Amino acid sequence: MNESTLGAERLRDFLSADARELAPQLLGAVLTHESRDGAVSIRLTEVEAYMGPEDSLHPDPGSHTYRGPTPRNAPMFGPAGHLYVYFTYGMHHCTNIVCGPAGFASALLLRAGEVVDGLELAQLRRPTSKSPADLASGPARLAKALGLTTADSGRDALAPPFELVLPSGPAGPVSSGPRVGVAGAGGSDEYAWRFWLTGNPTVSQYKAAKPRNRKRPATAPPGATFHKR
């Protein structure tokens, strides 16, 4: 086993811990994606933890895995360090890094970050951005700046063309609060699993989920609820 492989496996072991404990520790980490267009590196400034159905003591109604595995959320049940990228609202991609032990679904949604390398390429991908600070200020913007789509879901973020480098020390003061745009109990103070670098200009603005009046499909069982993030 060469040095780079050993480093990746140690990092994977680190990411196999509880997502809620890992979230503040991942702030300041740098994720790089080197595509055929070039490399973009983003320093993470805001993340959200999502747990799986195995946590019977504290089930997470805001998680995509709340009702169990599906073809879409399968990467969340896989090994730590892999990507889970999903498509939402018919227009946006959002990126998660899977964590926890294999088979235990949990992940960290990468909500915001600062572009520290590949600024020109990130700007080409985000031509509507008004300043460097908002290039990756929000999960859809971050995924766009990195050039990630659902085609990258399940890929290993710890191996080329990706690289994840942890901060060498505390990245700064950390704040926490409810997750953004999560409906129902999963967006309450009880699930204050969003962590961000206090005062950082790239952190996205908090928005509570808007109540939705959705018609229950005829095939849905009585009492069924629906969640989307």
Side-chain angles (χ1 to χ4, degrees):
M1 182 178 294
N2 60 40
E3 184 177 350
S4 61
T5 302
L6 181 62
E9 292 312 308
R10 285 177 176 169
L11 184 50
R12 203 178 311 281
D13 288 342
F14 170 77
L15 292 172
S16 296
D18 189 297
R20 295 161 291 191
E21 298 176 1
L22 284 172
Q25 299 180 62
L26 213 65
L27 295 172
V30 176
L31 177 62
T32 299
H33 177 212
E34 185 167 358
S35 69
R36 61 183 179 183
D37 298 320
V40 171
S41 299
I42 291 181
R43 176 176 176 264
L44 303 178
T45 60
E46 181 183 12
V47 299
E48 287 179 341
Y50 287 88
M51 303 301 290
E54 303 86 359
D55 190 350
S56 58
L57 296 178
H58 207 155
D60 184 358
S63 175
H64 285 178
T65 61
Y66 184 60
R67 301 193 180 282
T70 67
R72 180 201 193 196
N73 66 31
M76 281 187 68
F77 290 86
H82 286 66
L83 298 175
Y84 168 46
V85 185
Y86 63 89
F87 191 57
T88 185
Y89 297 113
M91 59 192 302
H92 298 307
H93 291 94
C94 297
T95 303
N96 300 256
I97 292 182
V98 176
C99 49
F104 188 99
S106 61
L108 297 174
L109 173 65
L110 309 184
R111 280 210 58 87
E114 173 192 5
V115 178
V116 294
D117 193 25
L119 182 62
E120 291 185 2
L121 178 55
Q123 289 173 328
L124 284 174
R125 289 171 173 164
R126 291 262 300 115
T128 58
S129 176
K130 297 179 180 179
S131 71
D134 73 5
L135 276 172
S137 179
R141 295 176 179 182
L142 185 148
K144 186 73 172 179
L146 282 172
L148 298 176
T149 69
T150 51
D152 298 296
S153 195
R155 299 180 72 183
D156 191 352
L158 309 185
F162 301 98
E163 182 182 37
L164 179 66
V165 178
L166 296 179
S168 57
V174 174
S175 297
S176 63
R179 296 175 297 190
V180 177
V182 178
S188 67
D189 289 340
E190 181 182 359
Y191 295 86
W193 297 346
R194 179 171 65 99
F195 300 85
W196 66 92
L197 293 180
T198 308
N200 190 284
T202 66
V203 173
S204 61
Q205 293 184 352
Y206 175 75
K207 293 181 181 179
K210 295 180 179 180
R212 295 185 180 183
N213 296 320
R214 294 186 177 180
K215 293 183 179 180
R216 182 167 58 89
T219 56
T225 57
F226 300 88
H227 306 270
K228 186 175 184 179
R229 64 174 171 88

